[in-house]
Amino acid sequence: MDKLRIGRIEAFEVTLPIEAPIRHSYGVHEAFTRTIVKVHTADGLVGLAETAASAEEVIRAGSVVVGLSALETGSIRMRITERFYWSKNPLVASAIEMACVDIIGKALGVPAHQILGGAVRDHIDLAAYCFYRYESPTHAAVTTPDEMARHAYDLVQRYGFGTVKLKAGVQEPAIEVETLRAIRDLLPGIKLRIDPNAAWAPATAMGLLGQLAEIGLEYLEDPVAGQAGMAEVRSKTALPLSTNMCVVDFDDIPSALALGSVDVILSDPWYWGGPLQTKTLADLCRIHGLGMGMHSGIELGIGMAVMAHTGVTIPQLTLAVDAHHHHLVDDVIAGPRLLPTGDGRLAPPDGPGWGVELDDDKVEQYRELHRSGRYANLYVAGDSGNGADRFRPEWNPVMPAW
């Protein structure tokens, strides 16, 4: 126990470029910013994590666990999330939990999936995550149905993905339905998903259900906002509905079950509080007969390792996992990026803990890019600076958009 005592917590932001600006209903991502977390034990072990919480939040909220053992994950979570009724912060708690799992794995010399209960398969399946894109110096714009179909086809050819997810809520719904048809025509055997990010009104979504069923979807993700709206849409279709927007916490599950609003809950090892909490969610989904997927969070290499190690321990995670990772052009981990190599699958990295370490030169490179402010506020709707979409300076998101 003494060897696993938390001595200090280090956190810092990095910003990494992506192939081209990717669009969604709330704006555009031009780069991915993540906070890298290092939890240091008193005797020199270092557990790694990444999160969307700021470095300041991680250090401030995480300071209360200094002195605890990395084995005391329950106490660590409570100290962070139960200090007062406004203190709940899954993005901080998840990062500390991830780092603790890494520490335990390193202390025992075993991979993280063994700490999480053992692998039931040797890989996770990944989905091609297709966004409408603005042009970049290296990549053409993806705007029309045919351009998106070709983009999806190229990703499938390159990585072997068996599932394609279209990020929607960007264009008129009729155009996005036509985009799905174009993908289906070019990739007739592919599993297909669409996620409008709740940009559609219930009447709009219900008016599209027949066409979506004809095209054939694995599931329809968050077409509308809120559990009541989702339940209304679900009552009009046999298409499974999934969410990472209206069921995002354990407290949301009872009402979702009562309303019958979703068929698939998309887990997330950050927003659900960490890999151990994701395992708890998996048990609840199994008990209540809900499907379970895994959502993406503009993850870097540490995050991909966490998703892979956690995912292979969950028997009912048979749906391909979302991942933004293939949009990156580089990473901060040492060695090759964690990408599928032609079969659409990703195996957990070998080695103790998460099986990844940082490349110090790349970390410094992308810390400096973050400090430069080149991408500051370009992707946060309603934030200061250039706003939600610098390509459309007068635009602001209004939901529902259609």
Side-chain angles (χ1 to χ4, degrees):
M1 290 283 285
D2 287 340
K3 291 183 178 180
L4 300 183
R5 295 287 175 189
I6 296 172
R8 66 185 177 93
I9 296 172
E10 181 184 1
F12 50 85
E13 287 100 353
V14 294
T15 295
L16 276 74
I18 59 178
E19 291 179 343
I22 57 176
R23 302 176 63 187
H24 51 87
S25 61
Y26 293 94
V28 59
H29 289 290
E30 295 195 51
F32 293 169
T33 294
R34 298 290 271 175
T35 295
I36 305 299
V37 179
K38 294 182 175 181
V39 173
H40 299 258
T41 66
D43 67 335
L45 287 174
V46 180
L48 297 178
E50 67 172 75
T51 186
S54 70
E56 188 276 332
E57 288 178 293
V58 172
I59 292 171
R60 174 176 49 79
S63 65
V64 297
V65 306
V66 172
L68 293 181
S69 168
L71 293 168
E72 298 176 280
T73 54
S75 296
I76 288 169
R77 186 182 308 114
M78 288 192 66
R79 284 203 185 187
I80 294 171
T81 64
E82 304 296 337
R83 298 186 68 197
F84 202 47
Y85 64 86
W86 63 58
S87 71
K88 187 173 184 178
N89 192 333
L91 296 177
V92 172
S94 61
I96 304 301
E97 182 172 284
M98 287 175 187
C100 287
V101 171
D102 197 33
I103 288 169
I104 297 167
K106 289 173 177 175
L108 296 178
V110 300
H113 59 73
Q114 291 191 16
I115 307 300
L116 298 173
V120 298
R121 61 178 68 87
D122 61 6
H123 67 273
I124 57 172
D125 292 314
L126 294 177
Y129 208 163
C130 295
F131 289 75
Y132 295 102
R133 311 205 297 191
Y134 289 118
E135 183 182 13
S136 76
T138 57
H139 290 77
V142 177
T143 302
T144 68
D146 286 344
E147 288 168 351
M148 182 64 80
R150 175 55 59 181
H151 176 47
Y153 181 85
D154 290 344
L155 288 173
V156 169
Q157 292 298 111
R158 182 176 180 184
Y159 297 113
F161 295 122
T163 302
V164 169
K165 174 176 173 177
L166 174 64
K167 178 63 79 174
V170 174
Q171 304 205 54
E172 292 280 348
I175 296 174
E176 295 184 335
V177 171
E178 202 55 41
T179 299
L180 287 176
R181 291 189 193 278
I183 297 171
R184 172 62 74 214
D185 289 344
L186 200 56
L187 295 165
I190 207 77
K191 294 178 181 177
L192 196 54
R193 309 167 178 171
I194 183 172
D195 174 17
N197 268 141
W200 297 345
T204 301
M206 288 186 286
L208 298 171
L209 291 174
Q211 297 178 71
L212 296 175
E214 179 189 352
I215 293 167
L217 297 183
E218 183 180 35
Y219 58 65
L220 171 59
E221 179 180 342
D222 286 310
V224 301
Q227 291 188 15
M230 289 282 283
E232 184 179 8
V233 173
R234 182 65 185 86
S235 71
K236 301 296 192 299
T237 182
L239 285 174
L241 264 58
S242 69
T243 186
N244 79 299
M245 295 182 71
C246 71
V247 182
V248 296
D249 186 89
F250 292 101
D251 292 343
D252 296 328
I253 295 176
S255 56
L257 291 170
L259 289 169
S261 53
V262 296
D263 303 280
V264 177
I265 295 178
L266 299 177
S267 64
D268 182 311
W270 292 278
Y271 288 95
W272 285 89
L276 296 172
Q277 292 291 85
T278 301
K279 296 277 290 182
T280 299
L281 173 63
D283 287 337
L284 287 174
C285 288
R286 174 180 54 81
I287 291 167
H288 293 291
L290 293 169
M292 181 175 173
M294 188 173 285
H295 183 255
S296 174
I298 63 171
E299 58 287 319
L300 307 182
I302 300 171
M304 284 305 307
V306 171
M307 293 166 75
H309 276 278
T310 305
V312 298
T313 70
I314 299 173
Q316 63 267 43
L317 189 64
T318 58
L319 299 165
V321 171
D322 294 337
H324 285 75
H325 198 66
H326 58 80
H327 292 280
L328 286 164
V329 298
D330 202 0
D331 204 346
V332 293
I333 62 171
R337 289 166 58 201
L338 300 182
L339 291 165
T341 56
D343 58 3
R345 297 174 172 179
L346 180 66
D350 294 329
W354 301 125
V356 295
E357 296 297 338
L358 294 172
D359 181 316
D360 292 337
D361 291 337
K362 288 187 176 182
V363 166
E364 184 52 38
Q365 177 184 352
Y366 295 119
R367 288 187 75 177
E368 180 56 35
L369 180 59
H370 181 78
R371 289 189 290 258
S372 75
R374 176 180 172 186
Y375 293 104
N377 301 320
L378 292 181
Y379 54 88
V380 181
D383 207 344
S384 58
N386 293 317
D389 186 343
R390 71 180 175 89
F391 301 94
R392 297 182 291 168
E394 302 304 317
W395 176 86
N396 276 294
V398 176
M399 296 297 160
W402 289 277

